Amino acid sequence: MLKFIGSVAASNFKRLGSPFKVSWAVTYRCNLKCKMCNIWDKKDHPPEIKAEDIGKLFQKPHNVHWLGITGGEPFLRTDLIDIVDAALAPSKTLNALHFATNGSYTDRVENLVHTLKKRHKKLKIVFTLSIDGPEALHNHIRGIDGTWGRALGDVYPALSFDDMTVNVFQRSNFYYENHAMPELDPAILTREIRKILAMDKDRLSLNNFLRRKYLKLYLHFLKTRKSPVKCQSFASTCFLDPYGNLFPCAVYNRKLLNIKETVLSLNDIWKLKEAVKIHDECARNKCPSCWSPCDAYSAMGGSIIPTVFR
Ligand code: SF4
Ligand code: SF4
């Protein structure tokens, strides 16, 4: 944990020698048909990378502390435990996993937690369930009845703001493939963000602080359409797609390489001139620019003083 905090602190002063967080979409298959996302409708499904591919990437020493597993629906991969374990086993620093799931496969979630906690005693596992609103609205947006109940079950009444993050709709031409959808109306979005901030009277905690800052900074983003603090893509974070293609994030369609086509370790990939060049583009908003929570939290961590005082 201390090393992770050290890496986040260091990201305020320099481009790191290794990412501290890798986001990995392990599959683009999905069992739901959400209205704001076209991942489920992707036509092309090349072979997904396997345990040996990810094991090779993490084999040599690196400084990744946090592995974000997303999809599609990650729990559709029947080898999910093996591929995650292939990253964990050789990695000295990697001790936190974050799964983003639509909550359809509770049995598989339980099995994964029991298996991984037995193998990796100090591992922290965090889950994010994606919820779009009250039951009827959620089921309507997700395209399948019963998804709200399956995801939340009896948990809902016990939730507080501290259990939540708020994600504003994002567009991406290679990840969500929803770039043809219209942007949200900024006036409506501003009103809704202010409503959430006014409702939120929860205590001060790290998650509450970050969520409130994310939303407040979204109001800045709406005025400039630029990341309100310096983006950390390819400085301390990156995005790996299900086929091994490495990108700065899930929005900027700027592939660096495919991990199956190189013998380089993660740290060596990080040193490539092209990786540095791409980071420079991200940091100077020469990308589509966004304020997506997938990258906003790392950006806030890498710009602590501007984040606190904005
Ligand atoms: S938003 Fe998530 S659950 Fe919905 S279709 Fe896209 S990947 Fe699947
Ligand atoms: S600002 Fe957004 S689109 Fe640009 S590199 Fe960062 S995360 Fe990607």
Side-chain angles (χ1 to χ4, degrees):
M1 188 63 179
L2 278 178
K3 283 188 178 163
F4 178 43
I5 294 168
S7 291
V8 175
S11 72
N12 283 259
F13 304 105
K14 60 177 185 181
R15 181 178 182 269
L16 301 182
S18 161
F20 63 65
K21 183 186 120 187
V22 174
S23 298
W24 178 20
V26 295
T27 184
Y28 281 156
R29 289 172 285 133
C30 192
N31 58 317
L32 301 187
K33 296 183 174 171
C34 299
K35 298 202 186 315
M36 68 293 189
C37 164
N38 288 328
I39 284 182
W40 61 273
D41 199 27
K42 283 181 192 278
K43 302 287 182 271
D44 196 18
H45 287 282
E48 293 161 346
I49 49 172
K50 300 208 168 20
E52 57 262 33
D53 302 311
I54 202 76
K56 197 173 67 145
L57 185 70
F58 283 86
Q59 197 64 45
K60 291 207 180 142
H62 58 77
N63 217 14
V64 178
H65 300 275
W66 182 280
L67 183 60
I69 305 288
T70 185
E73 171 46 50
F75 284 87
L76 282 177
R77 276 200 74 155
T78 50
D79 60 349
L80 186 59
I81 293 174
D82 294 337
I83 58 173
V84 169
D85 202 37
L88 287 169
S91 304
K92 288 206 165 55
T93 52
L94 182 53
N95 50 23
L97 290 179
H98 171 216
F99 291 88
T101 171
N102 62 38
S104 300
Y105 299 101
T106 308
D107 293 353
R108 296 181 197 183
V109 169
E110 284 175 1
N111 183 33
L112 174 133
V113 172
H114 288 141
T115 309
L116 289 181
K117 289 295 268 184
K118 257 188 230 159
R119 292 184 197 168
H120 307 280
K121 302 278 181 238
K122 292 187 180 160
L123 183 64
K124 303 243 180 314
I125 308 181
V126 178
F127 288 90
T128 306
L129 282 170
S130 40
I131 301 295
D132 301 316
E135 185 167 3
L137 177 65
H138 176 84
N139 289 343
H140 171 69
I141 291 175
R142 298 268 142 177
I144 297 182
D145 271 350
T147 52
W148 194 91
R150 265 197 297 284
L152 284 180
D154 302 329
V155 185
Y156 166 62
L159 292 177
S160 70
F161 266 103
D162 207 8
D163 299 308
M164 295 180 209
T165 58
V166 178
N167 295 8
V168 177
F169 165 75
Q170 299 293 329
R171 297 187 302 173
S172 165
N173 66 1
F174 73 103
Y175 179 55
Y176 303 114
E177 291 190 9
N178 60 355
H179 47 293
M181 292 183 190
E183 281 184 5
L184 298 176
D185 180 326
I188 297 176
L189 192 46
T190 301
R191 193 181 66 214
E192 294 303 316
I193 288 175
R194 291 207 169 118
K195 233 195 259 179
I196 296 170
L197 287 169
M199 277 193 302
D200 178 359
K201 307 283 185 220
D202 218 348
R203 69 196 171 92
L204 185 62
S205 68
L206 183 60
N207 186 43
N208 283 340
F209 171 79
L210 290 172
R211 185 191 56 257
R212 288 165 195 157
K213 276 293 172 188
Y214 165 72
L215 289 172
K216 283 178 188 163
L217 289 173
Y218 207 102
L219 299 175
H220 285 269
F221 172 74
L222 282 174
K223 286 182 197 147
T224 63
R225 297 287 168 184
K226 304 277 179 218
S227 180
V229 293
K230 185 178 161 190
C231 178
Q232 287 289 324
S233 294
F234 267 170
S236 57
T237 64
C238 59
F239 172 75
L240 183 64
D241 84 358
Y243 319 119
N245 300 309
L246 197 62
F247 295 88
C249 66
V251 175
Y252 188 17
N253 191 353
R254 180 82 155 84
K255 174 180 151 183
L256 175 66
L257 49 70
N258 187 299
I259 63 161
K260 288 199 291 190
E261 294 164 2
T262 179
V263 291
L264 295 176
S265 68
L266 189 54
N267 280 15
D268 290 338
I269 291 173
W270 218 241
K271 291 191 190 98
L272 292 173
K273 272 190 188 152
E274 189 65 5
V276 178
K277 183 166 176 267
I278 296 174
H279 165 60
D280 189 54
E281 292 164 10
C282 303
R284 293 189 299 119
N285 279 304
K286 303 288 178 204
C287 57
S289 208
C290 74
W291 191 233
S292 152
C294 311
D295 293 281
Y297 283 30
S298 313
M300 290 191 283
S303 292
I304 291 172
I305 291 174
T307 296
V308 168
F309 289 103
R310 285 199 85 163

